[in-house]
């Protein structure tokens, strides 16, 4: 998992409430063999018209927001199905931060597992951020200091669980955490020859 | 004095890399990681995304089974299935993992090839992204199924965080009647104690009945431990185990094998070991079993009848029975022997080993599949197929009107072209009779290989014990 410390970038305002994971990634795209490559299907039914052309009305197709790395959205973002593909598609598209007044539980967990920072801010702060984004003002999200700032000088602090914060700052996923026991694993492997059950275990 | 240990205790302690004390998960070392095409692609992809490698390719072994068509295996028409198979080959090449692919003489269902290649050995910890990994417990290995993120975790670290399961002792006692197979024993146990009796436990199977079983039979029992909700099945290794393993490609050879056996002999529960639960099951009165419903516990003896939901112990159970009967298209009170079948499937990781095929062939020999019945025999692996052909079993089946197929999971789960059409009935030697398992609307009845062959010939379920002469001949002539 990529560590996340701080990021300054373009924010895209998605002014909708209750965005569910079926919208984030429709089910016909779940049969793939990869965990990556889902970005092209992100918000598929909103981004593309039935004939497959881009829908010019949708925010991510607006030239101002191409290359956005921060998504600012309405409350209860990520509700519905538990599909981890939703997190995979957001990350693959290029989002590292999502800011909203509230998030659905399972989606929240899935995002942190995949290195996406979710920032919960009050309604009025989210509203101000959406306005700033629309004016093309860059946004900075600093996890170390736990603060969101605009290039115009507005700033808001945010709360986050210390364990999740540490995992993100250090880029630790489950595997990363286990690898912190690398010495123990290596020591175990080294003394396998003395372990009567493991002697014959290697093929 | 050291407290007496269960077999699970011994294997567990030998594999703890990090122990955090009772009640907290331990980091367990994994000796053998089996990989197949369906649950591994995202795991390999995860490694790639994080720039990680497979820590121990030498402890990892891959094959292809779920998606493989069993008519012409190299021609996969379903593009998604083909992709999964191709991706596995590519991943194995990229990460240096040994692959027994479609063309390999070692290819087969993952739980059939592990034991027959001697990869499965007593005392090992074995995982696979597949719930029927419990099969390997027949050798006294701690073997359990895992999910895709755990597959990735094992690939990267060769370890897994695991909470130590509880241990249930299942003692199989009594005299097993002729014509009653290991499949009937495990179905009988699940029918009596329910599909959840093993939840949260590893089941240590012991008693005179299991001691007398062949390795094939023990694998059938452990395969279905998961259908009782158990994490794993476990049988202490003994002379039968050692004789089965001697000379297999991946076991130590010569003197090294004898040294291994000396260690493996210590793998049994100590006298006075304490279990969280004990169940004793007497097999003496058991009949060949046939499932009538949509889970493996919905099961009766072949001389019995479809039960009446009105007799159910509870309201919830009554509704479950009614729903199952509706799905299965069966009326309460119907005698099992009157139920006709249109399909017969002899295969799967439960019952597609050489002994299973011998028993089915003994029944099929000199007889004909009933008109209107389509019967498939799908060996569990290339090696099983080769052995069966060397013994002439393929000819017996073909002369009787069975289709003789290439190895794979086939009709066990219908992820490949072998599917039972909606509303039709299949006598199947596999392990799950869930709704839709063999195809949308398909009606599955789980039975032993001999019972499946007999149903193919009669066109309906019959008590195979009435055809016993041939079975005894196979049992003595085959070993
Ligand atoms: S044969 Fe059936 S149960 Fe066994 S691994 Fe294949 S699909 Fe799973």
């Amino acid at each position: 998992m990529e560590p996340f410390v701080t990021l300054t970038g373009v924010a895209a305002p998605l002014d909708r409430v209750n965005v569910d994971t079926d919208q984030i990634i429709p089910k016909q795209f779940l049969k793939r063999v990869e965990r990556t490559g889902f970005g092209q299907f992100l918000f598929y039914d909103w981004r593309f018209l039935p004939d497959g052309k881009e829908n010019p009305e949708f925010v991510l197709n607006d030239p101002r927001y191409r290359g956005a790395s921060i998504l600012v959205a309405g409350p209860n973002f990520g509700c519905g199905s538990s599909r981890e593909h939703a997190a995979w598609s957001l990350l693959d598209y290029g989002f590292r931060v999502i800011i909203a007044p509230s998030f659905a539980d399972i989606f929240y967990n899935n995002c942190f597992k995949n290195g996406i920072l979710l920032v919960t801010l009050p309604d009025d702060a989210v509203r101000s951020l959406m306005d700033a984004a629309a004016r093309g003002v860059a946004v900075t999200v600093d996890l170390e200091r736990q603060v969101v700032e605009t290039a115009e000088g507005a700033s808001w602090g945010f709360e986050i669980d210390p364990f999740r914060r540490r995992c993100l700052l250090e880029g630790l996923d489950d595997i990363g955490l286990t690898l912190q026991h690398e010495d123990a694993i290596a020591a175990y492997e080294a003394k396998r020859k003395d372990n009567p059950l493991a002697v014959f275990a290697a093929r | 004095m050291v407290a007496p240990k269960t077999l699970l205790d011994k294997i567990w302690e030998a594999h703890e890399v990090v122990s955090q004390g009772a009640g907290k998960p331990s980091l367990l070392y994994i000796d053998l990681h089996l990989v197949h095409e369906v649950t591994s692609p995202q795991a390999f992809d995860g490694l790639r995304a994080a720039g990680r490698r497979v820590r121990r390719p030498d402890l990892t072994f891959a094959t292809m089974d779920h998606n493989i068509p069993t008519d012409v295996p190299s021609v996969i028409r379903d593009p998604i299935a083909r992709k999964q198979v191709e991706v596995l080959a590519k991943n194995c090449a990229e990460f240096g993992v040994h692959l027994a692919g479609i063309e390999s003489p070692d290819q087969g269902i993952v739980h059939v090839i592990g034991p027959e290649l001697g990869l499965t050995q007593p005392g090992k910890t074995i995982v696979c992204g597949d719930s029927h990994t419990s099969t390997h417990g027949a050798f006294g290995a701690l073997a359990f199924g895992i999910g895709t993120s755990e597959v990735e975790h094992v690939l990267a670290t060769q370890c897994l965080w695991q909470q130590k399961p509880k241990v249930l002792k299942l003692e199989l006692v009594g005299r097993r009647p002729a014509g009653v197979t290991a499949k009937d024993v495990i179905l009988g146990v699940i029918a009596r104690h329910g599909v959840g009796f093993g939840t949260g436990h590893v089941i240590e199977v012991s008693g005179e009945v299991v001691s007398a079983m062949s390795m094939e039979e023990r694998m059938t029992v452990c395969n279905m431990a998961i259908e009782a909700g158990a994490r794993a099945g476990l049988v202490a290794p003994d002379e039968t185990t050692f004789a089965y393993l001697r000379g297999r490609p991946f076991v130590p050879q010569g003197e090294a094998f004898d040294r291994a056996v000396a260690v493996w002999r210590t793998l049994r529960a100590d006298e006075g070991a304490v279990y969280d639960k004990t169940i004793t099951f007497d097999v003496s009165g058991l009949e060949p079993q046939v499932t009538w419903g949509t889970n493996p516990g919905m099961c009766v003896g072949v001389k019995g009848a479809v039960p009446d939901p009105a007799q159910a112990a509870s309201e919830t159970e009554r509704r479950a029975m009614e729903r199952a009967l509706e799905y299965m298209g069966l009326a309460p009170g119907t005698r099992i022997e009157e139920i006709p079948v249109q399909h017969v499937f002899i295969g799967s990781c439960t019952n597609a080993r050489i002994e299973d095929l011998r028993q089915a062939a003994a029944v099929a020999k000199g007889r004909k599949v009933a008109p209107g019945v389509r019967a498939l025999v799908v060996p569990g692996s290339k090696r099983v197929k080769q052995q069966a052909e060397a013994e002439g079993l393929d000819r017996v089946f073909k002369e009787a009107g069975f289709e003789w197929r290439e190895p794979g999971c086939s009709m066990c789960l219908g992820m490949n072209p072998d599917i039972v059409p909606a509303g039709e009935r299949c006598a199947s030697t596999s392990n799950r009779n869930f709704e839709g398992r063999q195809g949308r609307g398909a009606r599955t009845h789980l039975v032993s290989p001999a019972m499946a062959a007999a149903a193919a010939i009669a066109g309906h379920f019959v008590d195979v014990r009435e055809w016993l002469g041939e079975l005894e001949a196979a049992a003595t002539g085959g070993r």
Side-chain angles (χ1 to χ4, degrees), chain B residues 334-463:
Chain B
T334 309
R335 286 185 45 238
I336 295 294
E337 288 190 292
E338 284 169 4
I339 301 173
V341 299
Q342 294 83 44
H343 300 264
V344 170
F345 171 57
I346 298 173
S348 91
C349 58
T350 315
N351 280 130
R353 300 182 178 82
I354 189 67
E355 265 187 19
D356 301 312
L357 301 191
R358 282 181 195 142
Q359 289 176 8
V363 173
K365 189 163 187 160
R367 297 190 161 104
K368 287 277 180 236
V369 170
V373 174
R374 176 193 185 214
L376 255 60
V377 185
V378 187
S381 70
K382 288 260 177 68
R383 283 170 185 252
V384 169
K385 179 166 185 269
Q386 204 186 12
Q387 172 72 28
E389 289 175 354
E391 295 178 16
L393 304 184
D394 59 322
R395 284 196 312 280
V396 171
F397 285 121
K398 284 190 269 193
E399 278 163 18
F402 289 80
E403 293 176 40
W404 178 248
R405 293 299 193 87
E406 298 293 326
C409 292
S410 184
M411 216 178 248
C412 177
L413 89 167
M415 237 187 126
N416 48 68
D418 304 338
I419 281 174
V420 178
E424 298 193 12
R425 216 173 273 293
C426 182
S428 178
T429 67
S430 55
N431 44 44
R432 283 182 178 154
N433 50 344
F434 299 159
E435 286 185 20
R437 172 78 175 181
Q438 294 190 294
R440 201 173 164 182
R443 294 165 172 167
T444 303
H445 296 269
L446 303 178
V447 286
S448 73
M451 284 287 289
I457 283 147
H460 55 86
F461 291 107
V462 287
D463 186 348

Side-chain angles (χ1 to χ4, degrees), chain A residues 1 30-38 84-85 88 113 171 173-179 181-182 184-186 188-189 191-192 195-198 200-203, chain B residues 10 14-15 17-18 27 29 31 41-43 45 52 55-60 80 83-84 87 98 119 121 124 152-153 156-157 159 161 252 256 259-260 263 267:
Chain A
M1 191 166 96
L30 304 184
K31 276 188 181 173
R32 294 163 55 84
V33 293
E34 301 89 2
R35 195 184 315 223
T36 51
F38 284 94
E84 195 166 327
H85 303 69
W88 297 343
K113 263 191 212 158
D173 51 7
D174 288 357
I175 294 175
L177 283 171
T178 301
L179 288 174
H181 295 279
E182 169 60 35
I185 299 172
Y188 180 90
E189 286 177 330
K191 70 175 171 51
R192 271 165 80 78
N195 179 340
L197 282 190
F200 305 104
R203 72 172 164 86
Chain B
K10 294 184 183 183
H15 290 86
V17 174
V18 176
L27 190 63
Y29 200 81
D31 294 319
Q42 281 90 356
D45 216 35
R52 292 188 174 119
R55 183 182 180 91
R56 295 295 301 265
D58 59 325
L59 302 181
T60 312
I80 297 171
K83 179 101 189 268
Q84 281 190 330
V87 165
H98 183 99
L119 289 163
Q121 293 167 21
K124 278 193 181 183
E152 183 181 341
H153 193 281
T157 67
C159 296
W161 290 100
R259 284 200 301 277
V263 175
L267 288 171

